[in-house]
Amino acid sequence: MVKAWRLFALIFAAAFALTACGREPEGAGTAPHIRWRAEQEGALLIRTNTSMLGPVIDAFRARYPKVEIRLEDMNSTMLASNVVSDVLAGRPGADLVWSSAMDVQIKLINDGYAQTYRSPHRRAMPDGMVWRDQGFGITAEPVVFAYNRRLLPPALTPNSHADLIRLLEARPEIFDGRLAVYDAEQSGVALMQLSSDTQIYPDAWRMMEALGRRKPRLDTSGQRMMWRLATGQTLFVFNMNQSYGRIWVRDHPDIALVTPTDYHLLISRVAFIPRNAAHPNAARLFLDFLLSREGQAAVAKAGMRPARDDVDPALHPSPPGARPIRVGPGLLANLDHERREKLLGRWRAAMEGAPRAPLDPHAP
């Protein structure tokens, strides 16, 4: 028994030394004692608003079959509410919370709902993808335009935000009533994108007003917007997540995507381990897997662009003009009440008279 513990101690010391000297370990790289405890816990509850996790979960299960994974899919507002209510009630919560609502995730972390974990893959992550060793950006996904190629000829396809403004102002008849825009008042992700667009692009409000004059359908459901685009009810969708759009392009040949050449946002799906996680070691093991080359390759297989640039960069290139939204405190400004109301007030004025689709409870 003593010999076994000595062997365990030697293995742990070697793993620690490898991490300390800055070399990235192979595989998940999780310390042996954490991996052993994770398998003893034997369970992992992930709450997420990300519906593309199949290949990631399958790859993790193949590597660690002793850890049973359960997914709960809900929108970012419900995710945040559950995190807070679990802590206030003093009950164990989810083991990992993973959401594309970056600002909401950062606020939860800032308010003390996350625990710290220094992953052995920390140094391999790009700058701006890890905050306080609590919030981890797993993906870096372009925000693009989507359009129906059968209804919008190449000569009239906007390749930049500036092109879009010119077309909306010069050829309004093409777009009248045939646009779709995410509802920034109802979708946390859409509000975050609106905030980023207005900070990055000097003509952002001119663009919003040009969109609004064409009376776009305001929606919270990406699935609904892309279905209407595929069936020709909509001509153009503004600010669609490229990863999600590619799923529709694969099965609907009339749909095409454009990555704007002047700039495009890069958004990340942010994960953290709640401070009251019921299975914290299983969460650490899964998080290490997500950040490893193997896990990031599984993220790419799921159709999402991985955060790391050293995982098949030829298959998932970063197009020119990328403007990453950093995982960090800068996102908290989006949730300041006064700033939020001012931003939404101007957006409502720009979209005055635009029809609103029914609210989707699963909206991001």
Side-chain angles (χ1 to χ4, degrees):
M1 184 70 175
V2 174
K3 287 183 177 179
W5 274 107
R6 282 179 179 169
L7 179 60
F8 178 84
L10 286 170
I11 293 172
F12 172 71
F16 179 81
L18 185 64
T19 302
C21 71
R23 291 174 56 198
E24 187 187 3
E26 294 297 323
T30 310
H33 72 288
I34 293 178
R35 188 167 64 245
W36 181 82
R37 289 172 184 167
E39 292 180 338
Q40 295 306 300
E41 290 171 353
L44 176 67
L45 171 59
I46 301 171
R47 287 190 178 136
T48 181
N49 71 343
T50 300
S51 59
M52 302 167 65
L53 299 185
V56 179
I57 301 302
D58 290 345
F60 181 81
R61 282 176 174 152
R63 178 69 65 186
Y64 302 104
K66 293 182 181 179
V67 180
E68 182 179 344
I69 297 181
R70 183 159 61 94
L71 282 176
E72 291 184 358
D73 189 357
M74 59 188 71
N75 68 36
S76 57
T77 303
M78 292 176 64
L79 281 174
S81 177
N82 283 345
V83 169
V84 174
S85 61
D86 285 342
V87 169
L88 293 179
R91 59 178 175 256
D95 302 310
L96 193 85
V97 178
W98 189 2
S99 171
S100 55
M102 298 175 67
D103 47 4
V104 177
Q105 294 287 85
I106 293 302
K107 185 176 190 310
L108 289 169
I109 294 168
N110 191 67
D111 290 348
Y113 290 101
Q115 59 179 271
T116 300
Y117 176 59
R118 189 165 183 83
S119 171
H121 300 286
R122 170 68 176 83
R123 295 190 181 200
M125 296 300 292
D127 186 41
M129 284 295 176
V130 180
W131 185 50
R132 299 198 319 198
D133 288 318
Q134 293 181 326
F136 300 84
I138 309 300
T139 63
E141 303 170 63
V143 176
V144 301
F145 302 151
Y147 68 98
N148 186 306
R149 68 169 81 233
R150 180 172 51 84
L151 302 176
L152 192 64
L156 294 177
T157 301
N159 291 308
S160 67
H161 296 85
D163 284 349
L164 177 60
I165 294 173
R166 283 194 293 269
L167 277 167
L168 289 168
E169 293 177 346
R171 301 292 302 274
E173 74 282 357
I174 296 174
F175 298 97
D176 277 342
R178 305 177 79 187
L179 294 172
V181 174
Y182 269 112
D183 191 335
E185 198 167 10
Q186 304 290 342
S187 166
V189 174
L191 178 62
M192 179 185 70
Q193 292 177 4
L194 172 66
S195 175
S196 298
D197 277 325
T198 57
Q199 291 177 63
I200 290 170
Y201 187 44
D203 283 333
W205 285 115
R206 179 184 168 192
M207 178 172 63
M208 294 300 161
E209 289 162 1
L211 286 165
R213 284 193 293 271
R214 306 283 65 83
K215 298 297 180 283
R217 179 182 165 100
L218 307 180
D219 210 332
T220 57
S221 169
Q223 180 178 13
R224 196 161 47 201
M225 284 193 282
M226 296 303 284
W227 173 250
R228 289 174 61 87
L229 188 66
T231 56
Q233 299 173 71
T234 296
L235 178 78
F236 186 89
V237 176
F238 176 75
N239 274 10
M240 175 56 61
N241 184 300
Q242 184 191 70
S243 299
Y244 186 65
R246 281 177 169 170
I247 296 174
W248 285 82
V249 168
R250 183 181 62 208
D251 298 327
H252 299 86
D254 285 341
I255 295 180
L257 306 178
V258 172
T259 304
T261 55
D262 46 2
Y263 81 93
H264 61 274
L265 302 176
L266 273 186
I267 62 172
S268 184
R269 300 172 199 252
V270 176
F272 70 85
I273 303 172
R275 74 184 199 211
N276 60 333
H279 309 100
N281 294 289
R284 292 164 189 149
L285 181 63
F286 186 75
L287 183 60
D288 284 343
F289 176 78
L290 285 177
L291 301 181
S292 71
R293 285 190 179 88
E294 181 183 357
Q296 289 278 285
V299 165
K301 186 177 179 181
M304 299 174 280
R305 185 182 181 278
R308 290 178 54 160
D309 293 323
D310 61 349
V311 178
D312 254 344
L315 295 177
H316 298 275
S318 180
R323 299 296 295 269
I325 301 178
R326 294 175 65 90
V327 178
L331 287 162
L332 295 173
N334 295 342
L335 301 173
D336 176 78
H337 179 73
E338 184 176 347
R339 184 180 185 281
R340 182 180 186 276
E341 286 307 306
K342 184 177 179 181
L343 193 67
L344 283 176
R346 191 166 180 181
W347 183 82
R348 289 188 201 103
M351 299 295 159
E352 185 176 6
R356 178 167 268 147
L359 183 65
D360 177 10
H362 297 292

